[in-house]
Amino acid sequence: LAYGDWWDFEAGHVYPTMSQFTISGRRVHGLNTSLHLLNENINLQFIYGELDREITNQYDSLLVEDVVVGADSVVDQNFLLTYQEGGRGSFQRKVTGGRIGFGNEEKFQIGIQALRIQDDTTSIFNVRDYLDLASSSAVYGSNLNSDDIDSLLANPDRLDVRGGNVKPKGNLVAGADFKMGLLNNRVRLESEAVISALNNNIYDGPLTVQRAEDLGFDVNQKTADLLEQLSWLIIVNENMNTLPFRISEDESGELSGNAFFPTGILATNSELSLRYPNNNFRLQYRWIGPGFNSLANSTIRKDVAGFT
């Protein structure tokens, strides 16, 4: 759906492109819309939808395995919840993003962009410990006796999920770009710089002072409050792909965490091109840190630096 040159609207299965580092042609079940105002000198784009649909976990059975020492001395028990073959599921993954650009890209344009990708933790039934299983309507563990149940209720983490439970992720990619054209657009210069943050398990929410203490280091209340305020964009906790903390040990052996900026989560691309009837020239420089991630663009090569 379009209205003149100033409004485009797509809904359903769409393939939006914002930039090579955020999302570029990945299928989204949702909407992609853009506005071009004042002779395309103000440009806005908005993306919202489902990046991946949910796939329900298919559990098989709850096994009780005896831990035997010697010939027949049972000293403990292991409790294992197994999947059916190919039964490990995945969360519904949602994406929200936008870009605003000022200026006409054929002359000079500067823009800012951000993309948030986060798994919906409520989209599937996912067992993390025995309490999740006991509070559900699923019928597993009919082979457990009363002592087994009491032991699991007292220590729910004794239940292991064979193959691991599914962990929800969160990702934020944000950056700025500019485009410039000279000599009737025969000479073009384009550049983009972005930063990413990836959380491999958002279940427990942002890092708190208490959880930091449980992990063995100190985080002050001011830092914890900042992480809470940022949680609507990205949940920051101990499961980050790259933690914005340096853990240091003082002379007494006490651990503490200090905030710092990890440059490995940055990426940049700059390109100069000249296009004439008989000659073309293109020079590109890319730098992508080893910790850079976009869940909406899995084809990005990481830990790259150089000219082409």
Side-chain angles (χ1 to χ4, degrees), residues 77-148:
Q77 289 179 315
N78 293 327
F79 301 94
L80 300 171
L81 182 64
T82 63
Y83 293 106
Q84 298 177 21
E85 184 176 353
R88 196 169 190 268
S90 61
F91 292 99
Q92 180 188 70
R93 181 162 290 172
K94 296 181 178 180
V95 59
T96 306
R99 179 184 181 273
I100 181 169
F102 299 97
N104 190 307
E105 67 175 29
E106 293 187 358
K107 297 178 181 179
F108 181 84
Q109 184 183 94
I110 186 168
I112 55 175
Q113 57 185 292
L115 193 74
R116 177 181 183 263
I117 306 105
Q118 185 162 297
D119 290 340
D120 181 359
T121 58
T122 65
S123 59
I124 62 172
F125 172 55
N126 190 41
V127 175
R128 301 168 63 196
D129 57 30
Y130 182 71
L131 293 181
D132 291 333
L133 195 63
S135 61
S136 73
S137 59
V139 181
Y140 298 102
S142 58
N143 55 329
L144 298 178
N145 58 41
S146 59
D147 290 337
D148 294 335

Side-chain angles (χ1 to χ4, degrees), residues 14-62:
V14 299
Y15 299 83
T17 294
M18 187 178 295
S19 81
Q20 60 181 303
F21 289 127
T22 51
I23 186 169
S24 180
R26 174 77 182 272
R27 183 191 67 82
V28 173
H29 185 211
L31 62 89
N32 175 38
T33 185
S34 59
L35 281 171
H36 310 282
L37 307 173
L38 300 179
N39 294 321
E40 299 187 357
N41 284 298
I42 297 180
N43 301 275
L44 301 99
Q45 182 181 10
F46 178 71
I47 301 167
Y48 176 79
E50 176 186 303
L51 202 61
D52 295 314
R53 67 179 182 86
E54 71 275 10
I55 300 175
T56 303
N57 286 318
Q58 300 291 330
Y59 295 108
D60 188 16
S61 58
L62 199 162

